[in-house]
Amino acid sequence: WQAWAIYMVLAANLSEEQALKQTCPSCDAIQLCNCSSMGLDSVPPGLTAKITVLNLSHNRIKHIRSQDLQQAVNLRALLLQSNEIISIDEDSFVSLGKLQLLDLSNNSLTYLSPAWFGQLFSLQHLRLQGNSYRDLGESSPFSRLRNLSSLHLGNPGFSTIRQGNFEGIVVLDKLWIDGSNLSQYEPGSLKQIQRINHLIVNLRSTSVFSAIVRDLLHSVTWLEVRKIAFNVPAEMQLLKVMSSSFAEKISFKQALFTDATVPEIVSILGDMPKLVEVEMIDCRLLGTGRWGIQIQTNQSQTIKVITIERLSIEQFYLFTDLHTVEGLLSLLTKVTVENTKVFLVPCRISQNLLSLKYLDLSANLLGDQSLEHSACQGAWPSLQTLNLSQNSLSDLEMTGKSLSHLGNLILLDISQNNFGEVPDVCEWPKTLKHLNLSSTQISKLTACIPTTLEVLDVSANNLREFGLQLPFLKELYLAKNQLKTLPGAAPIPNLVAMSIRRNKLNSFSREEFESFKKMEQLDASDNNFICSCDFLSFIQHEARIDQMLVGWPGRYICDSPLAVRGAQVGAVHLSLMECHRTLMVSLMCALVFLVILIVVAIGYKYHAVWYLRMTWAWLQAKRKPKRAPAKDICYDAFVSYSENDSDWVENIMVRELEQACPPFRLCLHKRDFVPGKWIVDNIIDSIEKSHKTLFVLSEHFVRSEWCKYELDFSHFRLFDENNDAAILVLLEPIRSEAIPKRFCKLRKIMNTKTYLEWPPGEEQQAIFWFNLKIALKS
């Protein structure tokens, strides 16, 4: 009896695991079980302690039952987002003591039960946003989550936060509250959280935002505000509490500002004692900057970093010179104003940026004249990095002259402008070391390029040669040009790394590489090389290049392993015989060409190609494995039928089966075969990817030559295996003697297996469809 009991337990476990693999084929993996987007209505059975990650997202699960996850005791991540979950049993997660990530977002939960999270002692990340609950309950659902690091909650109907809702939470790395309709916030609700590194609030109510900030004056390091409108001047008094906040960074995303509210907000931010960075992304400003008053701050300024990305100003062309904020600029060290339609930086503003080291004005509307005015004498005296990419610059000489007085500039990015021609002589800052001129439509480089450079990027242009004298250059990027030879090494003696991929190089020589004494990295992939044995032998034994990419496409006389993309030079092994093949290769090429010509002529005359392909298809089908991997099966049935029966198949059977509940997915040659692929290969692949093969038999079927090919080259395997993968549907009576001898396999299966007959009456047709669906499901 004990042995019998053990056997029954093992059999049950094996059957459950088999059921799990059938439901989620990816659960064959030892630890990861990915059942996402599989149309599941419930948690699949058979989950075991082996699984550490379970992904059930994007299904139709409505209930989580007590026993569903009972055996998955080693789960670290449970993803249940984007289902239809309306209820969870109280003890559903009781066995998940090792769970670290739980995602229940975007479901239909109407309340949060503390019992769900009571045993999740290891939980670090909890996502509850996008459900239907209106509050967090009378007490805290999170009181037992001592290791919680990030919490995301809220939804469009979320309206109330009460005192005690966050009891038990002391420290959070990230707290995200989606409260676009949050209208009731009890003061002190968040006050017991001692530290929040990153707080994200999506609010509409300025009063609720003010109350939250008041509770977290000393707790939040980074405050991010989303989708709030600062457009009522009377409400700005509520925000003055922010001036006492110890936050070091504030971000506004998708927020709204007006000319009437900006002065108050800037003043409040300037008074914050520890604020270092202010960020505005995807915001709107209603106005033109005419603030009317000089903005002042009461405390010492600490703001060093300003980031503005995609700020929308409808009348940007009327925007003022910002003279009212001049007093706030002197301590800024990093400013980014990207994709905001900036066409001019007033000279007085530039001159007040005394400490600025990094300036990014990319993706704006700066032109040659406006840059000259923006970078006037005395502007940006400490600037080291300047990004002017994706603007409207067109005169390289004027660009260099406008920036030449910047005595500390090291890196300049002027890529994705339209310079076209490069002048013979230019004036640049004497400290410039990095210059990016990629994608600027230049076709020739001249002495305009400064000789002080250590890094030069001229990728994605129309260069046909490179011969500049750059004695200090260490890195050179020449990808996506029209170069046919390597640059000369003598003018760039200190070059360490070079990228020359996607050009038109066709050869390297030993002499070219001998001059690059200090080269460590070379990327010359995506060219068309013909490399000699002498060259390959040299770089294997003598060259100092540590990382070399040559790669396809390429031709290699020595048939070296170097032809593989990314192969290391040290992997090349050449023999003496490989390096003396010139005469032999010439003779053999002529002989091979003659033989190929004769074979092609004979094959063309006697249709040899067609016969060879048919023979290969037959052998391929014979040698295929018994069953395709479960993950490759994507059809319920492949339908084999005559073209003369297409009306019944496509208009009656397909509609009945593909519109069933649940629907069956059928593979039809007209609709699902890959265009341009040989028909026999299409047939074989379609059968391999189908659970069943459904034959629609008729007089037309047995007279069809292609139906015979399907049987001979593909379907015979189904019969030889003696399984139930073949389903016969008799569309009309066929006399046994009417079946040609070439359909011997069909004769055999009709004599040994039951088939379904299409009845004329509607009542019998319902039974026919029922039996056919049962056969497809079996």
Side-chain angles (χ1 to χ4, degrees), residues 386-586:
L386 177 59
N387 187 347
L388 296 172
S389 62
Q390 288 183 267
N391 274 276
S392 302
L393 303 175
S394 59
D395 189 330
L396 189 60
E397 182 179 7
M398 191 171 182
T399 298
K401 185 176 181 181
S402 299
L403 305 175
S404 61
H405 68 278
L406 301 179
N408 295 297
L409 191 65
I410 297 174
L411 189 152
L412 175 61
D413 186 348
I414 48 177
S415 61
Q416 300 185 65
N417 284 282
N418 189 16
F419 292 116
E421 296 297 326
V422 179
D424 293 333
V425 180
C426 296
E427 188 177 356
W428 297 96
K430 293 180 173 55
T431 54
L432 192 63
K433 295 182 179 179
H434 299 247
L435 178 61
N436 188 343
L437 275 168
S438 61
S439 302
T440 52
Q441 310 300 317
I442 58 178
S443 58
K444 183 181 179 181
L445 294 177
T446 67
C448 170
I449 305 300
T451 58
T452 58
L453 293 181
E454 294 181 2
V455 179
L456 174 61
D457 188 346
V458 286
S459 303
N461 283 297
N462 300 310
L463 300 177
R464 297 182 179 275
E465 59 182 13
F466 185 94
L468 294 181
Q469 184 86 26
L470 299 172
F472 304 105
L473 196 68
K474 296 179 180 179
E475 298 179 25
L476 177 59
Y477 300 93
L478 292 164
K480 300 181 184 179
N481 279 286
Q482 307 293 321
L483 298 174
K484 294 183 178 180
T485 59
L486 281 178
I492 41 178
N494 291 303
L495 196 65
V496 174
M498 178 167 60
S499 172
I500 197 168
R501 56 187 296 270
R502 296 184 66 178
N503 276 270
K504 294 186 177 181
L505 302 182
N506 54 27
S507 66
F508 283 160
S509 68
R510 175 172 178 168
E511 290 73 20
E512 287 177 304
F513 273 89
E514 281 182 329
S515 55
F516 285 109
K517 300 295 184 182
K518 298 182 180 180
M519 181 80 78
E520 296 176 0
Q521 298 180 13
L522 172 63
D523 183 355
S525 57
D526 294 306
N527 283 283
N528 191 25
F529 296 107
I530 301 176
C531 293
S532 68
C533 287
D534 180 61
F535 163 71
L536 294 177
S537 179
F538 164 72
I539 62 174
Q540 177 187 357
H541 299 294
E542 300 180 39
R544 299 180 181 180
I545 301 176
D546 296 326
Q547 298 181 25
M548 178 174 177
L549 298 177
V550 178
W552 301 109
R555 290 171 288 162
Y556 299 83
I557 295 175
C558 290
D559 193 23
S560 159
L562 189 64
V564 180
R565 176 188 291 275
Q568 293 185 358
V569 174
V572 180
H573 299 285
L574 305 174
S575 66
L576 182 64
M577 187 174 185
E578 287 178 318
C579 292
H580 299 278
R581 291 186 177 179
T582 306
L583 182 60
M584 181 180 289
V585 168
S586 301

Side-chain angles (χ1 to χ4, degrees), residues 154-200:
N155 56 75
F158 186 53
S159 62
T160 305
I161 293 179
R162 299 185 178 91
Q163 283 194 16
N165 281 164
F166 295 92
E167 182 181 350
I169 300 179
V170 179
V171 176
L172 282 176
D173 181 62
K174 180 185 288 187
L175 174 60
W176 191 333
I177 301 176
D178 282 327
S180 56
N181 291 307
L182 185 63
S183 57
Q184 299 179 38
Y185 176 83
E186 294 186 3
S189 298
L190 287 167
K191 197 168 187 177
Q192 59 191 351
I193 304 180
Q194 297 178 6
R195 189 173 77 254
I196 303 175
N197 183 48
H198 187 184
L199 173 64
I200 304 173

Side-chain angles (χ1 to χ4, degrees), residues 49 92 165 192 198 225 232 303 305 335 447 576 623 641 644 654 659 698 706-707 734:
S92 294
N165 281 164
Q192 59 191 351
H198 187 184
V225 187
V232 181
I303 301 176
V305 180
V335 172
L576 182 64
R623 293 177 178 272
Y641 62 98
N644 292 298
V654 170
Q659 293 181 7
S698 66
W706 275 113
C707 291
I734 305 176

Side-chain angles (χ1 to χ4, degrees), residues 350-402:
S350 297
Q351 290 173 340
N352 275 277
L353 292 167
L354 300 175
S355 304
L356 192 66
K357 295 182 178 180
Y358 178 98
L359 177 59
D360 184 350
L361 294 173
S362 59
N364 283 295
L365 303 175
L366 285 169
D368 299 314
Q369 300 291 337
S370 58
L371 176 62
E372 183 180 28
H373 178 81
S374 302
C376 59
Q377 285 296 325
W380 312 325
S382 303
L383 193 64
Q384 297 178 0
T385 300
L386 177 59
N387 187 347
L388 296 172
S389 62
Q390 288 183 267
N391 274 276
S392 302
L393 303 175
S394 59
D395 189 330
L396 189 60
E397 182 179 7
M398 191 171 182
T399 298
K401 185 176 181 181
S402 299

Side-chain angles (χ1 to χ4, degrees), residues 20 23-24 27 33-38 40 42-44 47 53-61 64 68-69 78-83 85:
L20 175 62
T23 305
C24 294
C27 287
C33 189
N34 186 4
C35 306
S36 177
S37 304
M38 301 192 70
L40 301 179
S42 60
V43 177
L47 299 174
V53 178
L54 176 59
N55 187 351
L56 293 169
S57 62
H58 301 280
N59 283 293
R60 298 193 298 267
I61 301 172
I64 307 296
D68 286 343
L69 303 165
L78 176 58
L79 307 178
L80 289 164
Q81 70 268 26
S82 301
N83 278 276
I85 300 173

Side-chain angles (χ1 to χ4, degrees), residues 261 278 334 436 581 592-593 697 722 747:
T261 58
V278 178
K334 182 177 181 180
N436 188 343
R581 291 186 177 179
V592 168
F593 178 76
L697 306 178
N722 195 28
R747 286 171 174 271

